Amino acid sequence: MSLIHVLSDETINRIAAGEVVERPANVVKELVENAIDSGADAITVEIKDGGISMIRVTDNGSGISREDIPKAFLRHATSKIEDSTDLLAIRSLGFRGEALSSIAAVCQVELMTKSKDSVIGTRYVIEGSKEIETKDVGVPSGTTIIVKNIFFNTPARRKFLKSPITEGGYIADLLEHLALANPDISFKFISGSDVKFHTSGNGDKKELIYRLFGKDAASNLVKLETEKDGLKLEGYLGKPELNRSTRNYENYFVNGRYVKNDVISSAVEEGYREYLMQHRFPFFVLYIEMDPKDVDVNVHPAKMEVRFKDNVYMSDYISSAVASKLKVTEMIPETVLVKEEEPKPSVSTVEPFEEKRISKDISAGSLDIRRILGESVPGKEPYPEAPEVTHEHNVIKASDAIIVNTSVQMELFDDKLLSRDAVAEYEIVGQIFETYWLFTYKDKLIMMDQHAAHEKVKYESLLAQMKNKDVVKQMISPAIVITLSPTELSVLNDYKQNFTDIGFEIEEFGGSDISLRAIPMDLYGQSPKELFLNILDELGNGRISGVPEAINDKLASMACKSAVKGNTPMSAPEIKELLAKLLTLDNPYNCPHGRPTMITMSKSELEKRFKRIV
Ligand code: ADP
Ligand code: MG
């Protein structure tokens, strides 16, 4: 008796589906990528119960002709490549031809589509790989796919789905990224009966950020644009105040694809290092364009990983671009206690089966995000209140709100608070809580954290000394003998030059003992042995890494951290001197660990607080 069976197509499809469809978000990803590949410039996604009971994706793209429909649902059927030589030149998002067959194997699917040159469209129904119906239907050009009851025929897999809220969250996150990756496509996302977001597709990236993340994010951005040897960075860096507790708001795209990559994340975080506290992450949207030869995007199509030819180059390029951009932007947090009324943006609407229709007044070019955000635009009034336009909600997860509090940052390029001239006019009010100094300047109250300012000045002076190869040392007499483990010894060996560069003098005896003869000057307030071992630990566990200069930088910031004691009384002349030193620095506004050195409050804020003005 024969024991070997040839599996039916249905079974094969169901097995294969396991690799493509694990949860509703996978279905949405495949359908939306197909819509993008079809040339659509408006895509509407609607889900019910987190996509578990229903997903509908409508696009205004090429549509599918009647005779191609059954083929589209066959495994390994694709219009995007013909043979393996095409693989090298893939521009489309999909090409494996597995998505529709996999989705149809485990869901109930209804397709309505019409290609531009057909007069009549087609409705096609397929459930669990079984064709149910094909018939004429009058629809506009484009495609709508409705996917119902995921895993209706594989209940065991349905059990692995999470709650509708969680599944819906995955979809929202995915669509945010697809919308950011495609600024020229209008995306509308509806969950249940709520429009979660609606992007205009007019290509304006700042406006896109506004639509997806709201006004607070959009009004606290620094534009980054730089190019070198065909490597192009473009996008928006959130000001440090937009910091988050997770990496979820680090958005980056390589050649138009949303990816995940440690090299990029770490490099941008490194650029922000001076501005953010530990365990806080920046908000940014960064588009990287590079020669496809220097990047492999197909490491794993579903996992969105990329690999670069030269990680070190990428990392240095990105982190220095970010750091230097942040440095030229003045960022003193200003305490604002009263929230402004949010302006109502106008939004274009694309319903299922509608060609992209954007009415005259809100057509692509004329919607100016600067005016929405209340920024002044020469010769233009802010947008008038327009009751007839709809205001739609942006997806903002309240639990993870963008802004820590209601403070905003001011840009005072014309009126720098820390110019030499300005500081000469500062009036010292006094010190409070043995830590903060109060000054007034014009109509601002300025509060300076003595500890953070001190730390910053020390750090910058150590950096300057290192740069000039003239580090002032403090000799330790008698030298401190320390016994190291074999691992610690090898770490010391690897980073010996860095220790020397920042002002350590270390003598080795060939065994496991070393002696510490000098440490960087000025680092009083901590035990030399503790400082040395802390640095060794950080280097050993890889938390400090990079090119030698970057390592020196980080070591200097570590060394300065505990070098200044808080609550040290300082006299007014001393504080003036500290301020004078501070204002010679490139970035006086944050201590090396990201805490602000000063914050301000305006007179009008105080007056609002006291209800003198409303
Ligand atoms: P792939 O995208 O890898 O080619 P799919 O299974 O996702 O494979 O889709 C199969 C084919 O169906 C595509 O190659 C394309 O020709 C067609 N197709 C799918 N979705 C759409 C759509 N929204 N608009 C136009 N054509 C589509
Ligand atoms: Mg596809």
Side-chain angles (χ1 to χ4, degrees):
M1 191 182 83
S2 162
L3 294 175
I4 300 179
H5 317 277
V6 175
L7 297 176
S8 69
D9 275 356
E10 197 186 320
T11 311
I12 293 171
N13 278 341
R14 218 184 272 182
I15 294 168
E19 281 158 32
V20 178
V21 184
E22 195 189 329
R23 51 176 15 103
N26 306 128
V27 175
V28 175
K29 175 171 189 280
E30 294 297 338
L31 297 182
V32 172
E33 288 189 343
N34 280 349
I36 295 170
D37 284 346
S38 80
D41 62 8
I43 299 172
T44 298
V45 178
E46 185 179 347
I47 60 171
K48 291 213 158 49
D49 305 313
I52 298 171
S53 63
M54 202 270 309
I55 294 165
R56 183 184 65 185
V57 177
T58 298
D59 69 60
N60 62 352
S62 66
I64 312 175
S65 68
R66 165 97 38 116
E67 72 261 31
D68 273 346
I69 294 173
K71 277 195 257 167
F73 285 90
L74 285 179
R75 224 147 63 81
H76 304 306
T78 177
S79 58
K80 297 164 196 173
I81 51 174
E82 274 180 31
D83 55 48
S84 67
T85 54
D86 284 351
L87 278 174
L88 300 173
I90 293 165
R91 291 257 129 235
S92 59
L93 295 166
F95 61 86
R96 292 178 300 157
E98 289 180 329
L100 290 185
S101 64
S102 301
I103 294 166
V106 293
C107 306
Q108 297 161 332
V109 178
E110 179 183 346
L111 166 80
M112 278 155 288
T113 185
K114 183 180 95 62
S115 56
K116 293 221 162 57
D117 45 4
S118 320
V119 218
I120 191 86
T122 308
R123 176 171 186 269
Y124 176 86
V125 180
I126 178 169
E127 297 181 354
S129 303
K130 284 194 195 68
E131 284 182 20
I132 307 278
E133 180 184 281
T134 307
K135 71 171 194 199
D136 286 351
V137 63
V139 288
S141 299
T143 302
T144 288
I145 298 196
I146 302 171
V147 173
K148 287 191 178 147
N149 302 322
I150 184 168
F151 302 137
F152 78 102
N153 53 358
T154 46
R157 299 188 54 201
R158 203 181 164 99
K159 285 202 194 103
F160 282 99
L161 295 179
K162 299 193 176 144
S163 70
I165 290 177
T166 307
E167 295 294 346
Y170 292 142
I171 294 173
D173 189 61
L174 165 81
L175 289 174
E176 270 172 21
H177 286 108
L178 285 166
L180 285 172
N182 297 279
D184 297 321
I185 299 178
S186 167
F187 283 88
K188 185 173 184 180
F189 174 43
I190 307 162
S191 173
S193 50
D194 293 343
V195 176
K196 292 293 186 181
F197 65 75
H198 189 180
T199 69
S200 71
N202 72 2
D204 184 333
K205 289 164 181 158
K206 191 171 186 183
E207 193 209 307
L208 195 50
I209 293 172
Y210 171 76
R211 303 266 194 214
L212 297 174
F213 302 107
K215 187 187 170 199
D216 283 342
S219 40
N220 284 291
L221 300 173
V222 181
K223 189 173 168 63
L224 176 70
E225 198 165 11
T226 172
E227 181 167 7
K228 194 177 150 203
D229 303 331
L231 175 57
K232 190 174 163 204
L233 301 183
E234 199 222 324
Y236 287 95
L237 304 173
K239 290 188 184 170
E241 278 197 39
L242 297 183
N243 70 85
R244 316 298 303 240
S245 58
T246 71
R247 289 210 162 91
N248 288 353
Y249 289 78
E250 298 185 351
N251 303 284
Y252 42 88
F253 305 87
V254 174
N255 292 345
R257 277 171 207 254
Y258 168 52
V259 295
K260 293 228 186 272
N261 179 276
D262 278 347
V263 174
I264 303 175
S265 280
S266 312
V268 178
E269 285 162 19
E270 171 57 26
Y272 270 94
R273 187 173 47 85
E274 277 188 36
Y275 303 88
L276 296 183
M277 310 248 286
Q278 274 194 333
H279 312 302
R280 302 297 302 178
F281 301 95
F283 169 95
F284 64 90
V285 179
L286 187 61
Y287 300 86
I288 302 172
E289 294 289 334
M290 58 193 298
D291 191 330
K293 286 204 298 293
D294 293 335
V295 56
D296 179 2
V297 283
N298 280 323
V299 181
H300 191 309
K303 285 192 184 152
M304 305 170 297
E305 287 168 3
V306 286
R307 208 179 277 157
F308 300 113
K309 248 190 196 158
D310 189 343
N311 282 341
V312 175
Y313 181 81
M314 282 299 286
S315 162
D316 287 351
Y317 181 72
I318 295 172
S319 64
S320 58
V322 170
S324 53
K325 188 75 220 176
L326 293 175
K327 214 161 222 175
V328 298
T329 312
E330 182 167 272
M331 293 186 262
I332 305 177
E334 183 180 19
T335 314
V336 173
L337 303 151
V338 181
K339 221 175 177 161
E340 291 165 41
E341 190 70 24
E342 205 164 300
K344 292 184 166 54
S346 46
V347 182
S348 62
T349 303
V350 186
E351 294 308 328
F353 290 133
E354 278 186 327
E355 295 290 330
K356 190 175 185 187
R357 277 191 324 213
I358 297 179
S359 59
K360 270 197 277 95
D361 52 327
I362 52 175
S363 69
S366 70
L367 184 62
D368 188 334
I369 185 66
R370 292 175 300 170
R371 290 167 71 198
I372 290 184
L373 295 176
E375 293 168 16
S376 67
V377 178
K380 297 270 169 73
E381 292 291 312
Y383 282 121
E385 288 291 317
E388 70 278 8
V389 296
T390 51
H391 174 53
E392 292 178 349
H393 295 282
N394 303 297
V395 175
I396 300 174
K397 293 141 198 156
S399 60
D400 198 19
I402 296 250
I403 303 278
V404 189
N405 47 40
T406 49
S407 55
V408 298
Q409 297 182 314
M410 43 182 190
E411 297 198 48
L412 288 166
F413 293 105
D414 312 330
D415 189 16
K416 284 232 176 200
L417 283 182
L418 276 174
S419 70
R420 262 169 215 279
D421 295 346
V423 171
E425 286 177 47
Y426 274 32
E427 281 184 35
I428 300 186
V429 180
Q431 191 192 28
I432 55 170
F433 311 132
E434 296 180 324
T435 304
Y436 308 101
W437 284 86
L438 308 188
F439 309 93
T440 54
Y441 171 62
K442 293 192 175 157
D443 64 347
K444 295 236 179 287
L445 171 65
I446 299 163
M447 292 161 263
M448 181 175 88
D449 178 336
Q450 176 188 314
H451 180 274
H454 211 157
E455 185 178 338
K456 179 67 179 182
V457 166
K458 274 191 184 301
Y459 166 72
E460 292 289 343
S461 101
L462 183 53
L463 283 193
Q465 291 172 18
M466 283 187 329
K467 209 168 152 198
N468 302 329
K469 305 232 177 301
D470 184 21
V471 177
V472 185
K473 294 176 197 170
Q474 182 179 334
M475 301 307 291
I476 305 170
S477 177
I480 302 170
V481 177
I482 306 172
T483 308
L484 299 180
S485 72
T487 327
E488 286 169 335
L489 269 176
S490 84
V491 175
L492 176 60
N493 251 327
D494 291 348
Y495 294 99
K496 201 139 185 218
Q497 188 58 45
N498 298 101
F499 277 102
T500 312
D501 289 349
I502 74 162
F504 281 93
E505 254 178 48
I506 296 160
E507 199 179 343
E508 285 176 83
F509 303 116
S512 52
D513 284 353
I514 57 124
S515 82
L516 203 54
R517 305 173 63 87
I519 62 164
M521 182 63 166
D522 244 12
L523 302 185
Y524 54 78
Q526 59 190 332
S527 124
K529 179 175 172 182
E530 211 173 286
L531 172 64
F532 171 76
L533 288 178
N534 281 348
I535 291 180
L536 207 58
D537 277 355
E538 294 290 303
L539 287 166
N541 62 25
R543 271 202 286 271
I544 295 183
S545 60
V547 294
E549 298 77 54
I551 291 180
N552 284 348
D553 240 56
K554 289 178 213 171
L555 296 187
S557 92
M558 250 193 96
C560 295
K561 184 173 183 168
S562 45
V564 200
K565 286 213 175 102
N567 304 0
T568 322
M570 281 176 94
S571 64
E574 280 175 316
I575 219 70
K576 278 217 152 154
E577 198 191 314
L578 179 59
L579 203 54
K581 280 187 187 153
L582 191 64
L583 75 93
T584 61
L585 307 178
D586 281 346
N587 167 20
Y589 313 110
N590 294 88
C591 84
H593 302 92
R595 287 192 293 118
T597 53
M598 44 180 75
I599 58 176
T600 71
M601 186 187 282
S602 67
K603 187 174 165 209
S604 62
E605 270 309 316
L606 273 176
E607 286 171 338
K608 279 182 200 161
R609 259 322 234 197
F610 285 110
K611 309 278 184 230
R612 281 166 169 267
I613 54 173
V614 283

